[in-house]
Amino acid sequence: MDIRAILMGLAFAFMWSSAFTSARMIVADAPPLTALAARFLLSGVIACGLALAMGQSWRLSRAQWRAVVIFGICQNALYLGLNFVAMQWVEASLAAIIASSMPLLVAGFGWALFGDRVRPLGIAGLVAGMAGVALIMGSRLSGGTDLGGVALCLLGSLALTVATLSMRGATGGGGNVMMVVGLQMFVGSAALAVVALATEPFVVNWTPRLGWAFLYTTLVPGVLATWVWFLLVGRIGTVRASTFHFLNPFFGVAVAAVLLGERLGWADVIGVLVIAGGILAVQLSRQADRPAA
């Protein structure tokens, strides 16, 4: 793994983790699904415009079209949609921690459904990571955290797991990475818009914070982070790229604490460290078994 890949991984982890804080700001003043559908529509226009300016084509490989549909539905509509709704009641730091369990779920489902080999280090990482999640969840639930919101975050993580397991080959077949990014945004926007129109009243409290948070979420986690992730996977493979997810609990908690003033207890700190260690152990174990894709 070269220095460029390391920098890309660090940038992706920070941008991905910061999205929970900006999302928490957005849902405080706007209906969550409507805001998210609008964000994806704008992100898709920007990404496809950039792709055309870069000389990229609408002609995608079959694997790329599969990625467009799967990521549009599973990652954008389900994972982010469920998290946006949940963050009306759940703190950004907790949502980030739950979402950070995704690499553990990927490893577990890979073993259960596809017979992926799991080394002793990986097994230890799975156990430790889930124990860390359980520690934080127990502490937060006993403190009055909304159970329904937590359940939505967990369902969102399962949807993201499905998207990640379907990732292989997503950038193959002639490039057009930015076009893939833009088109899957349109898929997510269309799916969310249907649900939003049927379920949400359009009531918005127009504030400067809402404007800045929406702009940041659209451009940084929305377009830039997704593009960096596709490039990173194309450069070093899904297994090695996923190693950077062990940083997500740290970044997610830190950004929420700094910008939203969310308080953390000792159980949260210990749980984050255990989860991060578990994720790293799982990814190092998988990296030892597979060559870079």
Side-chain angles (χ1 to χ4, degrees), residues 30-49:
L33 298 183
T34 301
L36 191 56
R39 170 205 144 173
F40 282 138
L41 178 61
L42 182 56
S43 295
V45 170
I46 293 171
C48 287

mmCIF file with all atom_site columns, all heavy atoms in Angstrom, residues 30-49:
data_model
loop_
_atom_site.group_PDB
_atom_site.id
_atom_site.type_symbol
_atom_site.label_atom_id
_atom_site.label_alt_id
_atom_site.label_comp_id
_atom_site.label_asym_id
_atom_site.label_entity_id
_atom_site.label_seq_id
_atom_site.pdbx_PDB_ins_code
_atom_site.Cartn_x
_atom_site.Cartn_y
_atom_site.Cartn_z
_atom_site.occupancy
_atom_site.B_iso_or_equiv
_atom_site.pdbx_formal_charge
_atom_site.auth_seq_id
_atom_site.auth_comp_id
_atom_site.auth_asym_id
_atom_site.auth_atom_id
_atom_site.pdbx_PDB_model_num
ATOM 1   N N   . ALA A 1 30 ? -35.087 20.151 8.770   1.00 0.00 ? 30 ALA A N   1
ATOM 2   C CA  . ALA A 1 30 ? -35.738 19.761 7.521   1.00 0.00 ? 30 ALA A CA  1
ATOM 3   C C   . ALA A 1 30 ? -36.192 18.313 7.593   1.00 0.00 ? 30 ALA A C   1
ATOM 4   O O   . ALA A 1 30 ? -35.601 17.508 8.324   1.00 0.00 ? 30 ALA A O   1
ATOM 5   C CB  . ALA A 1 30 ? -34.772 19.951 6.348   1.00 0.00 ? 30 ALA A CB  1
ATOM 6   N N   . PRO A 1 31 ? -37.251 17.938 6.843   1.00 0.00 ? 31 PRO A N   1
ATOM 7   C CA  . PRO A 1 31 ? -37.675 16.533 6.798   1.00 0.00 ? 31 PRO A CA  1
ATOM 8   C C   . PRO A 1 31 ? -36.554 15.669 6.217   1.00 0.00 ? 31 PRO A C   1
ATOM 9   O O   . PRO A 1 31 ? -36.002 16.006 5.160   1.00 0.00 ? 31 PRO A O   1
ATOM 10  C CB  . PRO A 1 31 ? -38.909 16.555 5.888   1.00 0.00 ? 31 PRO A CB  1
ATOM 11  C CG  . PRO A 1 31 ? -38.812 17.829 5.128   1.00 0.00 ? 31 PRO A CG  1
ATOM 12  C CD  . PRO A 1 31 ? -38.094 18.797 6.000   1.00 0.00 ? 31 PRO A CD  1
ATOM 13  N N   . PRO A 1 32 ? -36.195 14.578 6.876   1.00 0.00 ? 32 PRO A N   1
ATOM 14  C CA  . PRO A 1 32 ? -34.973 13.840 6.518   1.00 0.00 ? 32 PRO A CA  1
ATOM 15  C C   . PRO A 1 32 ? -34.952 13.252 5.115   1.00 0.00 ? 32 PRO A C   1
ATOM 16  O O   . PRO A 1 32 ? -33.956 13.407 4.398   1.00 0.00 ? 32 PRO A O   1
ATOM 17  C CB  . PRO A 1 32 ? -34.906 12.732 7.584   1.00 0.00 ? 32 PRO A CB  1
ATOM 18  C CG  . PRO A 1 32 ? -36.283 12.625 8.134   1.00 0.00 ? 32 PRO A CG  1
ATOM 19  C CD  . PRO A 1 32 ? -36.864 13.996 8.060   1.00 0.00 ? 32 PRO A CD  1
ATOM 20  N N   . LEU A 1 33 ? -36.007 12.577 4.703   1.00 0.00 ? 33 LEU A N   1
ATOM 21  C CA  . LEU A 1 33 ? -35.985 11.922 3.394   1.00 0.00 ? 33 LEU A CA  1
ATOM 22  C C   . LEU A 1 33 ? -36.050 12.927 2.259   1.00 0.00 ? 33 LEU A C   1
ATOM 23  O O   . LEU A 1 33 ? -35.407 12.755 1.225   1.00 0.00 ? 33 LEU A O   1
ATOM 24  C CB  . LEU A 1 33 ? -37.133 10.918 3.292   1.00 0.00 ? 33 LEU A CB  1
ATOM 25  C CG  . LEU A 1 33 ? -37.101 9.764  4.303   1.00 0.00 ? 33 LEU A CG  1
ATOM 26  C CD1 . LEU A 1 33 ? -38.251 8.800  4.044   1.00 0.00 ? 33 LEU A CD1 1
ATOM 27  C CD2 . LEU A 1 33 ? -35.768 9.031  4.259   1.00 0.00 ? 33 LEU A CD2 1
ATOM 28  N N   . THR A 1 34 ? -36.822 13.992 2.450   1.00 0.00 ? 34 THR A N   1
ATOM 29  C CA  . THR A 1 34 ? -36.888 15.047 1.438   1.00 0.00 ? 34 THR A CA  1
ATOM 30  C C   . THR A 1 34 ? -35.524 15.704 1.266   1.00 0.00 ? 34 THR A C   1
ATOM 31  O O   . THR A 1 34 ? -35.056 15.929 0.135   1.00 0.00 ? 34 THR A O   1
ATOM 32  C CB  . THR A 1 34 ? -37.925 16.101 1.835   1.00 0.00 ? 34 THR A CB  1
ATOM 33  O OG1 . THR A 1 34 ? -39.207 15.480 1.976   1.00 0.00 ? 34 THR A OG1 1
ATOM 34  C CG2 . THR A 1 34 ? -38.007 17.204 0.795   1.00 0.00 ? 34 THR A CG2 1
ATOM 35  N N   . ALA A 1 35 ? -34.869 16.021 2.390   1.00 0.00 ? 35 ALA A N   1
ATOM 36  C CA  . ALA A 1 35 ? -33.546 16.641 2.333   1.00 0.00 ? 35 ALA A CA  1
ATOM 37  C C   . ALA A 1 35 ? -32.536 15.719 1.670   1.00 0.00 ? 35 ALA A C   1
ATOM 38  O O   . ALA A 1 35 ? -31.702 16.156 0.862   1.00 0.00 ? 35 ALA A O   1
ATOM 39  C CB  . ALA A 1 35 ? -33.089 17.002 3.742   1.00 0.00 ? 35 ALA A CB  1
ATOM 40  N N   . LEU A 1 36 ? -32.605 14.433 1.988   1.00 0.00 ? 36 LEU A N   1
ATOM 41  C CA  . LEU A 1 36 ? -31.647 13.489 1.426   1.00 0.00 ? 36 LEU A CA  1
ATOM 42  C C   . LEU A 1 36 ? -31.883 13.284 -0.068  1.00 0.00 ? 36 LEU A C   1
ATOM 43  O O   . LEU A 1 36 ? -30.927 13.192 -0.846  1.00 0.00 ? 36 LEU A O   1
ATOM 44  C CB  . LEU A 1 36 ? -31.742 12.155 2.177   1.00 0.00 ? 36 LEU A CB  1
ATOM 45  C CG  . LEU A 1 36 ? -30.637 11.137 1.913   1.00 0.00 ? 36 LEU A CG  1
ATOM 46  C CD1 . LEU A 1 36 ? -29.259 11.722 2.207   1.00 0.00 ? 36 LEU A CD1 1
ATOM 47  C CD2 . LEU A 1 36 ? -30.867 9.878  2.758   1.00 0.00 ? 36 LEU A CD2 1
ATOM 48  N N   . ALA A 1 37 ? -33.150 13.226 -0.482  1.00 0.00 ? 37 ALA A N   1
ATOM 49  C CA  . ALA A 1 37 ? -33.448 13.092 -1.908  1.00 0.00 ? 37 ALA A CA  1
ATOM 50  C C   . ALA A 1 37 ? -32.933 14.305 -2.684  1.00 0.00 ? 37 ALA A C   1
ATOM 51  O O   . ALA A 1 37 ? -32.363 14.166 -3.778  1.00 0.00 ? 37 ALA A O   1
ATOM 52  C CB  . ALA A 1 37 ? -34.955 12.930 -2.117  1.00 0.00 ? 37 ALA A CB  1
ATOM 53  N N   . ALA A 1 38 ? -33.114 15.493 -2.106  1.00 0.00 ? 38 ALA A N   1
ATOM 54  C CA  . ALA A 1 38 ? -32.604 16.706 -2.758  1.00 0.00 ? 38 ALA A CA  1
ATOM 55  C C   . ALA A 1 38 ? -31.088 16.696 -2.807  1.00 0.00 ? 38 ALA A C   1
ATOM 56  O O   . ALA A 1 38 ? -30.483 17.094 -3.821  1.00 0.00 ? 38 ALA A O   1
ATOM 57  C CB  . ALA A 1 38 ? -33.097 17.943 -2.001  1.00 0.00 ? 38 ALA A CB  1
ATOM 58  N N   . ARG A 1 39 ? -30.467 16.242 -1.744  1.00 0.00 ? 39 ARG A N   1
ATOM 59  C CA  . ARG A 1 39 ? -29.002 16.170 -1.726  1.00 0.00 ? 39 ARG A CA  1
ATOM 60  C C   . ARG A 1 39 ? -28.489 15.235 -2.814  1.00 0.00 ? 39 ARG A C   1
ATOM 61  O O   . ARG A 1 39 ? -27.538 15.553 -3.538  1.00 0.00 ? 39 ARG A O   1
ATOM 62  C CB  . ARG A 1 39 ? -28.537 15.667 -0.364  1.00 0.00 ? 39 ARG A CB  1
ATOM 63  C CG  . ARG A 1 39 ? -27.040 15.336 -0.328  1.00 0.00 ? 39 ARG A CG  1
ATOM 64  C CD  . ARG A 1 39 ? -26.693 14.318 0.734   1.00 0.00 ? 39 ARG A CD  1
ATOM 65  N NE  . ARG A 1 39 ? -25.643 13.431 0.266   1.00 0.00 ? 39 ARG A NE  1
ATOM 66  C CZ  . ARG A 1 39 ? -25.042 12.530 1.048   1.00 0.00 ? 39 ARG A CZ  1
ATOM 67  N NH1 . ARG A 1 39 ? -25.402 12.400 2.297   1.00 0.00 ? 39 ARG A NH1 1
ATOM 68  N NH2 . ARG A 1 39 ? -24.113 11.763 0.557   1.00 0.00 ? 39 ARG A NH2 1
ATOM 69  N N   . PHE A 1 40 ? -29.104 14.055 -2.961  1.00 0.00 ? 40 PHE A N   1
ATOM 70  C CA  . PHE A 1 40 ? -28.651 13.109 -3.974  1.00 0.00 ? 40 PHE A CA  1
ATOM 71  C C   . PHE A 1 40 ? -28.888 13.639 -5.385  1.00 0.00 ? 40 PHE A C   1
ATOM 72  O O   . PHE A 1 40 ? -28.084 13.399 -6.288  1.00 0.00 ? 40 PHE A O   1
ATOM 73  C CB  . PHE A 1 40 ? -29.353 11.762 -3.800  1.00 0.00 ? 40 PHE A CB  1
ATOM 74  C CG  . PHE A 1 40 ? -28.790 10.936 -2.674  1.00 0.00 ? 40 PHE A CG  1
ATOM 75  C CD1 . PHE A 1 40 ? -29.632 10.245 -1.826  1.00 0.00 ? 40 PHE A CD1 1
ATOM 76  C CD2 . PHE A 1 40 ? -27.428 10.850 -2.464  1.00 0.00 ? 40 PHE A CD2 1
ATOM 77  C CE1 . PHE A 1 40 ? -29.137 9.478  -0.791  1.00 0.00 ? 40 PHE A CE1 1
ATOM 78  C CE2 . PHE A 1 40 ? -26.910 10.100 -1.421  1.00 0.00 ? 40 PHE A CE2 1
ATOM 79  C CZ  . PHE A 1 40 ? -27.768 9.409  -0.592  1.00 0.00 ? 40 PHE A CZ  1
ATOM 80  N N   . LEU A 1 41 ? -29.996 14.344 -5.569  1.00 0.00 ? 41 LEU A N   1
ATOM 81  C CA  . LEU A 1 41 ? -30.256 14.914 -6.889  1.00 0.00 ? 41 LEU A CA  1
ATOM 82  C C   . LEU A 1 41 ? -29.172 15.915 -7.262  1.00 0.00 ? 41 LEU A C   1
ATOM 83  O O   . LEU A 1 41 ? -28.620 15.868 -8.372  1.00 0.00 ? 41 LEU A O   1
ATOM 84  C CB  . LEU A 1 41 ? -31.633 15.595 -6.897  1.00 0.00 ? 41 LEU A CB  1
ATOM 85  C CG  . LEU A 1 41 ? -32.034 16.281 -8.203  1.00 0.00 ? 41 LEU A CG  1
ATOM 86  C CD1 . LEU A 1 41 ? -32.087 15.277 -9.350  1.00 0.00 ? 41 LEU A CD1 1
ATOM 87  C CD2 . LEU A 1 41 ? -33.375 16.983 -8.040  1.00 0.00 ? 41 LEU A CD2 1
ATOM 88  N N   . LEU A 1 42 ? -28.841 16.808 -6.337  1.00 0.00 ? 42 LEU A N   1
ATOM 89  C CA  . LEU A 1 42 ? -27.800 17.799 -6.599  1.00 0.00 ? 42 LEU A CA  1
ATOM 90  C C   . LEU A 1 42 ? -26.434 17.138 -6.757  1.00 0.00 ? 42 LEU A C   1
ATOM 91  O O   . LEU A 1 42 ? -25.661 17.491 -7.662  1.00 0.00 ? 42 LEU A O   1
ATOM 92  C CB  . LEU A 1 42 ? -27.765 18.830 -5.466  1.00 0.00 ? 42 LEU A CB  1
ATOM 93  C CG  . LEU A 1 42 ? -26.760 19.976 -5.605  1.00 0.00 ? 42 LEU A CG  1
ATOM 94  C CD1 . LEU A 1 42 ? -26.986 20.729 -6.910  1.00 0.00 ? 42 LEU A CD1 1
ATOM 95  C CD2 . LEU A 1 42 ? -26.863 20.919 -4.413  1.00 0.00 ? 42 LEU A CD2 1
ATOM 96  N N   . SER A 1 43 ? -26.132 16.166 -5.894  1.00 0.00 ? 43 SER A N   1
ATOM 97  C CA  . SER A 1 43 ? -24.854 15.449 -5.998  1.00 0.00 ? 43 SER A CA  1
ATOM 98  C C   . SER A 1 43 ? -24.743 14.731 -7.330  1.00 0.00 ? 43 SER A C   1
ATOM 99  O O   . SER A 1 43 ? -23.671 14.703 -7.955  1.00 0.00 ? 43 SER A O   1
ATOM 100 C CB  . SER A 1 43 ? -24.721 14.434 -4.856  1.00 0.00 ? 43 SER A CB  1
ATOM 101 O OG  . SER A 1 43 ? -24.657 15.061 -3.602  1.00 0.00 ? 43 SER A OG  1
ATOM 102 N N   . GLY A 1 44 ? -25.852 14.135 -7.786  1.00 0.00 ? 44 GLY A N   1
ATOM 103 C CA  . GLY A 1 44 ? -25.829 13.422 -9.055  1.00 0.00 ? 44 GLY A CA  1
ATOM 104 C C   . GLY A 1 44 ? -25.578 14.348 -10.228 1.00 0.00 ? 44 GLY A C   1
ATOM 105 O O   . GLY A 1 44 ? -24.814 14.022 -11.146 1.00 0.00 ? 44 GLY A O   1
ATOM 106 N N   . VAL A 1 45 ? -26.220 15.525 -10.211 1.00 0.00 ? 45 VAL A N   1
ATOM 107 C CA  . VAL A 1 45 ? -26.001 16.508 -11.274 1.00 0.00 ? 45 VAL A CA  1
ATOM 108 C C   . VAL A 1 45 ? -24.538 16.938 -11.309 1.00 0.00 ? 45 VAL A C   1
ATOM 109 O O   . VAL A 1 45 ? -23.918 17.002 -12.383 1.00 0.00 ? 45 VAL A O   1
ATOM 110 C CB  . VAL A 1 45 ? -26.924 17.726 -11.077 1.00 0.00 ? 45 VAL A CB  1
ATOM 111 C CG1 . VAL A 1 45 ? -26.530 18.855 -12.024 1.00 0.00 ? 45 VAL A CG1 1
ATOM 112 C CG2 . VAL A 1 45 ? -28.380 17.335 -11.292 1.00 0.00 ? 45 VAL A CG2 1
ATOM 113 N N   . ILE A 1 46 ? -23.972 17.216 -10.129 1.00 0.00 ? 46 ILE A N   1
ATOM 114 C CA  . ILE A 1 46 ? -22.574 17.655 -10.062 1.00 0.00 ? 46 ILE A CA  1
ATOM 115 C C   . ILE A 1 46 ? -21.633 16.554 -10.537 1.00 0.00 ? 46 ILE A C   1
ATOM 116 O O   . ILE A 1 46 ? -20.731 16.784 -11.351 1.00 0.00 ? 46 ILE A O   1
ATOM 117 C CB  . ILE A 1 46 ? -22.225 18.070 -8.621  1.00 0.00 ? 46 ILE A CB  1
ATOM 118 C CG1 . ILE A 1 46 ? -23.013 19.326 -8.223  1.00 0.00 ? 46 ILE A CG1 1
ATOM 119 C CG2 . ILE A 1 46 ? -20.718 18.319 -8.478  1.00 0.00 ? 46 ILE A CG2 1
ATOM 120 C CD1 . ILE A 1 46 ? -22.889 19.678 -6.754  1.00 0.00 ? 46 ILE A CD1 1
ATOM 121 N N   . ALA A 1 47 ? -21.850 15.331 -10.028 1.00 0.00 ? 47 ALA A N   1
ATOM 122 C CA  . ALA A 1 47 ? -20.951 14.227 -10.369 1.00 0.00 ? 47 ALA A CA  1
ATOM 123 C C   . ALA A 1 47 ? -21.016 13.880 -11.852 1.00 0.00 ? 47 ALA A C   1
ATOM 124 O O   . ALA A 1 47 ? -19.980 13.674 -12.497 1.00 0.00 ? 47 ALA A O   1
ATOM 125 C CB  . ALA A 1 47 ? -21.293 12.999 -9.520  1.00 0.00 ? 47 ALA A CB  1
ATOM 126 N N   . CYS A 1 48 ? -22.224 13.814 -12.415 1.00 0.00 ? 48 CYS A N   1
ATOM 127 C CA  . CYS A 1 48 ? -22.335 13.490 -13.842 1.00 0.00 ? 48 CYS A CA  1
ATOM 128 C C   . CYS A 1 48 ? -21.785 14.618 -14.708 1.00 0.00 ? 48 CYS A C   1
ATOM 129 O O   . CYS A 1 48 ? -21.178 14.370 -15.762 1.00 0.00 ? 48 CYS A O   1
ATOM 130 C CB  . CYS A 1 48 ? -23.792 13.200 -14.200 1.00 0.00 ? 48 CYS A CB  1
ATOM 131 S SG  . CYS A 1 48 ? -24.394 11.609 -13.583 1.00 0.00 ? 48 CYS A SG  1
ATOM 132 N N   . GLY A 1 49 ? -21.987 15.876 -14.265 1.00 0.00 ? 49 GLY A N   1
ATOM 133 C CA  . GLY A 1 49 ? -21.395 16.994 -14.993 1.00 0.00 ? 49 GLY A CA  1
ATOM 134 C C   . GLY A 1 49 ? -19.882 16.928 -15.002 1.00 0.00 ? 49 GLY A C   1
ATOM 135 O O   . GLY A 1 49 ? -19.241 17.146 -16.040 1.00 0.00 ? 49 GLY A O   1
#
